[in-house]
Amino acid sequence: MTGTHAERTAPVAAPVDADVPPATGPGSGSGGAAGPGADQARRRGRVVIAAVVVLAVGGAGATAVVLTRGTDKGATNTGPRLSTAPVVRTDLSDEVQVDGTLGFGGTYTFIGAAGTLTWLPQPGQEIVRGERVFAVDGHDVPLFYGTTPMWRTLEEGVHDGRDVRQLQANLSALHHGGLTVDGHFGPATREAVEDWQHDLGRDRTGAVQQGDVAIAPGRLRIQSVAGVLGGPAHLQVLQATGTQRIVTVPLPVDRQGIARTGGKVRLELPGGVQTTGHISDVGAVAAGTGTGSGATAGAVGAATANATIPVHVRLDDSRAAGRLAGAPATVYFTGQVRRGVLAVPVSALLAQGPHDYAVVVADSAGRRRTVPVTLGMFGSGQVAVTGPGLAPGMRVEVPAS
């Protein structure tokens, strides 16, 4: 999938405050004479003017905002009722929209020790530290948090190991002895291991062997179970993921500058659910399509042009995803940022020519004046503007909501 960047165009619109001459001659009314409408127009002076601002977002179609204004109190107003909005000093940013997939973070594969599988979890089950992940020969294999696999027997006398510190940290978190996490397997650690083994119903050996525990960085959600009860445990038993809700986004390589680890993004989930998240990691390996040995030169070129990198976004509130295990999601990355700009609502703009715009400033006494403006960045329904005499706190006309 590719991202879509918001682009904006503005067509030519009717000039502001155009004087409309009286209608005369053929085609101006029935029988060629000026009709009642023309008389009203002459009596009321200048009539309706219209301005159109079109924002085309991602090629998905155009949204038109039409302002209709009359300059005389007696003029007929056929458009929306007008209100005012403040001119503000603010920060504006545009957004890059990319589609992704909602799921769970991390994938972990578990292989047991030699023996027979005697208990297995169900897909979708969540497991926390100390709870069993599976069982071999009637003995539970509990979950310990960490990143170092069990590669040796840990017993009294073993020192200077990350795996020892990992064991001590888990025993302490499970309230087995007030251990100092120092990487030295001494008498206190042995006693804590024996206490833990007693609670599990194991022999109190004071040593922890490979296959006695399952290691993962945090709590797990069972994704799939490959093992079968009564089957061998030394093959792949199951696969699990983390429980943190993650949206994976294939971000076009030419947009990778907008994704930074820790950056905040806005998300939209199925059902119109709006939430936020933070970028947890940005991939460094780009992937494309059509680059196999049989691909033509044109296909290879297209794959290069459409290459993407994986970006993972953690939801700030996992509850926003509800019970969905997987679903499409849309991520809005912040692109360019302009700080401290003068801004007005987009709907305040009046087109005065192919590339000319203005706003109507209204004061507390009801006086109105048209101020030509130069446009800057669009973002969040506002547009940066500069114009003679325009300042924060002034009010500009907009359609009433």
Side-chain angles (χ1 to χ4, degrees), residues 127-396:
I127 298 171
V128 299
R129 177 170 23 210
E131 294 181 348
R132 63 180 175 175
V133 181
F134 53 92
V136 178
D137 293 340
H139 297 295
D140 292 344
V141 178
L143 175 64
F144 274 14
Y145 292 170
T147 56
T148 303
M150 289 288 296
W151 58 275
R152 59 178 175 171
T153 298
L154 299 181
E155 56 189 348
E156 190 169 359
V158 175
H159 302 297
D160 303 323
R162 184 182 304 171
D163 50 354
V164 177
R165 290 194 295 273
Q166 182 175 272
L167 173 66
Q168 292 171 328
N170 278 278
L171 291 172
S172 181
L174 293 171
H175 308 293
H176 294 289
L179 294 176
T180 300
V181 180
D182 56 8
H184 299 283
F185 199 124
T189 301
R190 176 179 54 77
E191 291 178 6
V193 169
E194 290 176 350
D195 185 55
W196 169 68
Q197 289 173 328
H198 174 73
D199 284 354
L200 289 177
R202 295 181 180 177
D203 293 337
R204 301 177 62 175
T205 64
V208 182
Q209 299 180 348
Q210 289 177 271
D212 282 351
V213 295
I215 304 295
R219 59 188 302 164
L220 297 176
R221 181 182 186 275
I222 303 301
Q223 184 178 54
S224 62
V225 177
V228 294
L229 292 177
H234 67 280
L235 304 177
Q236 179 177 319
V237 177
L238 56 84
Q239 280 195 323
T241 67
T243 57
Q244 175 67 48
R245 307 311 297 271
I246 294 288
V247 173
T248 301
V249 179
L251 185 68
V253 169
D254 62 355
R255 291 289 189 185
Q256 61 183 309
I258 65 174
R260 294 180 175 82
T261 301
K264 186 174 182 177
V265 299
R266 187 168 64 86
L267 301 103
E268 183 173 354
L269 304 178
V273 175
Q274 302 286 331
T275 188
T276 58
H278 284 78
I279 298 172
S280 57
D281 63 88
V282 179
V285 178
T289 58
T291 56
S293 58
T296 64
V300 173
T304 303
N306 296 326
T308 62
I309 56 173
V311 175
H312 296 108
V313 176
R314 291 181 180 270
L315 271 62
D316 292 335
D317 183 4
S318 292
R319 295 171 298 180
R323 300 177 61 86
L324 294 173
T330 301
V331 180
Y332 298 87
F333 295 88
T334 299
Q336 300 181 59
V337 178
R338 295 290 183 270
R339 302 191 182 281
V341 297
L342 207 60
V344 299
V346 173
S347 57
L349 295 178
L350 296 175
Q352 293 191 300
H355 306 289
D356 299 323
Y357 297 90
V359 295
V360 175
V361 176
D363 63 20
S364 57
R367 293 185 296 266
R368 304 161 62 247
R369 61 187 178 91
T370 301
V371 178
V373 294
T374 300
L375 307 187
M377 174 178 285
F378 288 75
S380 302
Q382 294 182 302
V383 57
V385 293
T386 55
L390 209 58
M394 291 180 174
R395 301 193 72 85
V396 294

